[in-house]
Amino acid sequence: MQAQTYDQLAARAVEAAERDSLELSEKLFEEALKLEPANMRNSMLFSNLGTVQHRLGKIDKAIESYTLGLNLAPYSVTILLNRAALYLEKNLYEKAYLDYCNVIDRKNQEALLYRAYIYMQRRDYKEARIDYNTLLQEEPKNKMGRLGMALLNQKELKFREALEEFNRMITDYPNDASLLKARANLEIEMNTPDLALLDLESAAKLSPKDAEIYVMCGEIYLSQKKKREAYVAFEKAIELGVPRPELQDKLKASK
């Protein structure tokens, strides 16, 4: 009867989560775990509980649940990746790094991608390149991997290689405004602001409510001493939601 009740509680918890009754789901998972604390399947329940708590915004509790799940199943790729994602959310890069390193599938795309991101934060560009290369060897068209490699080349001042990759990606994803913004950033670094403005104009057509585009335009116009155009761009950014105090100095410089 106890085993049946455990199974029933777990099943009801899953059903509640599927109905978005997350608080009920959390309570049912906790009841099942209390009922049979030694059940070998508890790693799965802790994993599910952590996911429900994450959806509820209870990040610390979710990490705790994932950790308890890993105590029972130390090499669970799913739990390691889920906990690592929460560590990243809390900017706990070193803890996230360890979880990604502990993923036993050395070609796991998510682990490679985010570990490379952590290497980028550390400015360990050599190791980042190794992970991006491994990822792209397995899946040459991986969008995030290609973007990461382009940004890595930009960080290492390999502007030609970065620009070539951005060009290819924009050809492959012509409706992605974020890629146009990324190429515009590169073009600013390459001291070709007029090309950057063209990309930002195209990005604004694709994503007209993106305030960052107008902030970037305003900054370029300021650098070109086109104060009127800069002022108009900053005002548009404010209209789209940027708090006026954040742009106050730039507005003053534009007058």
Side-chain angles (χ1 to χ4, degrees):
M1 286 295 295
Q2 273 195 335
Q4 187 178 17
T5 305
Y6 172 93
D7 289 341
Q8 288 174 343
L9 286 168
R12 287 178 59 200
V14 171
E15 290 170 2
E18 290 173 349
R19 297 195 309 270
D20 289 331
S21 300
L22 300 179
E23 291 182 358
L24 175 60
S25 179
E26 180 185 30
K27 181 179 177 182
L28 290 168
F29 276 128
E30 289 173 342
E31 287 181 8
L33 289 162
K34 287 177 184 176
L35 191 63
E36 293 195 24
N39 193 302
M40 292 300 293
R41 288 179 291 164
N42 280 349
S43 63
M44 181 178 65
L45 263 64
F46 278 123
S47 177
N48 290 337
L49 175 60
T51 300
V52 167
Q53 289 166 332
H54 183 198
R55 291 172 64 189
L56 284 167
K58 300 178 180 180
I59 304 302
D60 291 332
K61 281 194 171 184
I63 289 173
E64 182 181 342
S65 294
Y66 287 140
T67 301
L68 291 169
L70 286 168
N71 288 342
L72 300 171
Y75 300 108
S76 169
V77 171
T78 299
I79 303 178
L80 283 167
L81 292 176
N82 284 341
R83 188 174 70 172
L86 295 188
Y87 282 145
L88 278 184
E89 199 171 315
K90 290 175 67 69
N91 295 325
L92 299 172
Y93 293 122
E94 293 309 310
K95 289 185 175 182
Y97 172 78
L98 291 174
D99 277 353
Y100 288 129
C101 287
N102 284 330
V103 172
I104 55 175
D105 178 3
R106 298 306 174 199
K107 294 181 180 179
N108 181 280
Q109 292 180 4
E110 184 176 343
L112 287 168
L113 183 64
Y114 287 107
R115 191 171 66 174
Y117 169 78
I118 293 169
Y119 282 133
M120 291 275 281
Q121 299 305 304
R122 295 177 175 177
R123 299 185 181 181
D124 189 345
Y125 300 140
K126 179 181 177 182
E127 293 297 330
R129 189 173 294 277
I130 290 171
D131 276 356
Y132 282 133
N133 278 330
T134 303
L135 172 61
L136 292 171
Q137 283 169 6
E138 292 296 307
E139 189 185 346
K141 292 295 185 180
N142 185 286
K143 185 178 180 181
M144 295 305 295
R146 292 170 67 190
L147 177 59
M149 186 64 87
L151 293 172
L152 174 59
N153 283 327
Q154 183 176 346
K155 290 281 188 185
E156 294 192 307
L157 306 182
K158 297 178 179 179
F159 292 150
R160 181 178 61 80
E161 293 91 332
L163 182 60
E164 287 173 356
E165 186 56 56
F166 279 128
N167 291 343
R168 287 190 290 266
M169 291 190 73
I170 289 168
T171 299
D172 292 342
Y173 305 99
N175 296 319
D176 190 333
S178 68
L179 292 175
L180 289 164
K181 287 163 60 179
R183 187 169 69 179
N185 268 318
L186 173 63
E187 287 161 342
I188 291 168
E189 281 197 50
M190 294 175 70
N191 199 28
T192 53
D194 290 332
L195 290 177
L197 285 170
L198 288 173
D199 272 346
L200 292 171
E201 181 181 342
S202 298
K205 290 177 182 177
L206 292 170
S207 186
K209 294 184 179 180
D210 187 338
E212 185 185 12
I213 293 171
Y214 294 96
V215 174
M216 292 173 67
C217 287
E219 290 173 343
I220 294 172
Y221 287 133
L222 263 186
S223 71
Q224 295 177 325
K225 302 191 185 312
K226 297 178 179 179
K227 293 188 175 184
R228 181 179 179 280
E229 290 89 338
Y231 188 86
V232 170
F234 290 136
E235 284 290 349
K236 180 65 175 178
I238 290 168
E239 179 186 323
L240 291 173
V242 177
R244 183 173 290 274
E246 287 187 16
L247 296 178
Q248 199 62 48
D249 290 342
K250 291 183 172 65
L251 286 168
K252 287 180 180 177
S254 303
K255 287 185 177 179

